[in-house]
Amino acid sequence: MERMIFLDTVPSTNDYAKDLARQGAAHGTAVMAKSQTAGRGRMGRSFLSPEGGLYLSVILRPRERAEELMALTAVLAAAVCDAVEQVCGIRPGVKWINDLVLDGKKLAGVLTELSLTADGYVDYAVCGIGINCNGDIAELSPQVQEIATSLLVHTGKRTDLEALAKVMASRIVRACDTAVREKTVWMERYRKNCVTLGKTVRVLGAEPYEATALNVDGDGALQVRTADGKIHKIFSGEVSVRGLFGYI
Ligand code: BTN
C-alpha cells in the first residue's frame, strides 16, 4: 500500500515530492493537494491549479537505466486513463504525449521528471498529474474554456478526490513496476488511446511545421510525415503538437 500525504495547498506537488525523494522517500510515496500556487507543466510552462482539481505526484524508484525507460511517460499516461475509467466510468483519450482529453478538450496533464545517478540509473522519478475534477469551467478565462474540460462536465457527478488519488497512485506504481517487462502491451494500449494518430498536427519547436501523425513507436516517440513524404521522429522532451483547427 502506497503512503499518501494529503495537503490543502502547496506551490507544486512535484517540487514537494522531489524534496521528499532527495531525502530518501520510498517508491510509491504520493503527495496530493487540493490546489497549487506554482503548478508546473511540460516545457517550462505554468499549470493553472485552482480548487476543484486533483494535483498528485508519485515518487517512483524503477531501478533501471534511463534508456530502458524511454516509454515511461507514455506508459504512465495509459495508467492514468485506466484510473479515471475505474473511478469515474469514462475513459479519456491521450493527446501525444500525455495530455488526457475528453471530447477534444484537455482534462489533465502529466509531467514526469527523472533524476539520474552518475552511472546512468534512475535515482527517482516523480510522476505528477493535474486533473480537473469538480472545477466550474465557467470560472476559467474564455481562452482556457475553449480548450479545457472537467470530469464534472462529462459525468455530471462530483469526484471523490481522495478515492481517485489512491487508485491513481496505485495504478501508477504498478505501471512503473511493469513498464519495462510489459512495454509492448503498454504501448499497444497507449496507441489505442492516442487521439493524435491520423491527425494533421503542427509540430511546435524551434521551427514549427505541419505533418500527419502516423504512429507512436515502442519508446513513445511520435512518427509524423510531412507533405514532401519525409518521416520524422519526435521525442517528447523537444516539442509539443497542436491540431490545425483546435487543441487536438
Ligand atoms: C502539462 O500539462 O504540461 C503537465 C501538467 C502537470 C501538472 C501536474 S499538477 C501536479 C504536479 N505538480 C506540478 O507542479 N505539476 C504536476
Side-chain angles (χ1 to χ4, degrees):
M1 182 62 201
E2 293 77 32
R3 172 182 169 222
M4 178 78 71
I5 296 165
F6 299 96
L7 303 169
D8 271 332
T9 190
V10 69
S12 155
T13 55
N14 260 37
D15 290 345
Y16 193 101
K18 281 159 79 176
D19 279 345
L20 289 180
R22 277 183 220 112
Q23 292 161 32
H27 180 57
T29 306
V31 182
M32 76 162 268
K34 292 182 184 158
S35 67
Q36 297 182 121
T37 53
R40 293 186 295 104
R42 285 182 60 232
M43 309 203 335
R45 298 186 189 122
S46 63
F47 187 80
L48 199 63
S49 311
E51 271 192 30
L54 166 63
Y55 310 99
L56 173 71
S57 297
V58 185
I59 297 169
L60 302 168
R61 296 196 183 269
R63 288 172 217 237
E64 301 280 354
R65 293 186 66 79
E67 59 264 30
E68 296 293 330
L69 286 167
M70 301 278 282
L72 184 65
T73 299
V75 168
L76 296 177
V80 172
C81 289
D82 291 343
V84 172
E85 188 175 18
Q86 180 184 332
V87 176
C88 308
I90 42 169
R91 185 168 186 89
V94 180
K95 172 180 170 285
W96 187 86
I97 178 145
N98 54 5
D99 280 354
L100 270 59
V101 297
L102 281 172
D103 225 359
K105 294 189 173 183
K106 180 160 172 167
L107 172 73
V110 185
L111 173 68
T112 304
E113 299 182 286
L114 289 185
S115 171
L116 304 183
T117 60
D119 55 359
Y121 279 81
V122 175
D123 180 11
Y124 62 82
V126 169
C127 174
I129 302 109
I131 175 164
N132 193 350
C133 298
N134 305 321
D136 186 352
I137 295 293
E139 279 177 11
L140 302 172
S141 72
Q143 294 97 309
V144 179
Q145 278 187 44
E146 253 177 51
I147 58 163
T149 191
S150 72
L151 285 170
L152 183 61
V153 167
H154 288 268
T155 62
K157 290 186 211 133
R158 293 182 69 78
T159 299
D160 178 335
L161 300 184
E162 290 189 13
L164 181 59
K166 282 181 189 159
V167 170
M168 241 178 219
S170 119
R171 283 193 173 263
I172 283 169
V173 171
R174 248 188 294 157
C176 175
D177 292 344
T178 54
V180 173
R181 205 174 53 241
E182 293 170 20
K183 185 167 95 163
T184 316
V185 178
W186 275 114
M187 291 314 293
E188 207 37 57
R189 276 179 86 69
Y190 181 87
R191 283 182 204 103
K192 283 206 180 107
N193 232 193
C194 183
V195 296
T196 307
L197 296 182
K199 300 262 166 33
T200 305
V201 294
R202 183 177 291 281
V203 180
L204 302 171
E207 288 177 22
Y209 61 93
E210 285 171 17
T212 305
L214 300 178
N215 194 15
V216 176
D217 77 7
D219 284 327
L222 182 67
Q223 289 169 352
V224 300
R225 187 177 53 226
T226 40
D228 57 9
K230 284 200 182 123
I231 309 282
H232 306 254
K233 218 179 200 194
I234 306 174
F235 296 92
S236 66
E238 298 164 8
V239 293
S240 60
V241 296
R242 265 298 178 100
L244 284 194
F245 306 108
Y247 165 67
I248 291 180

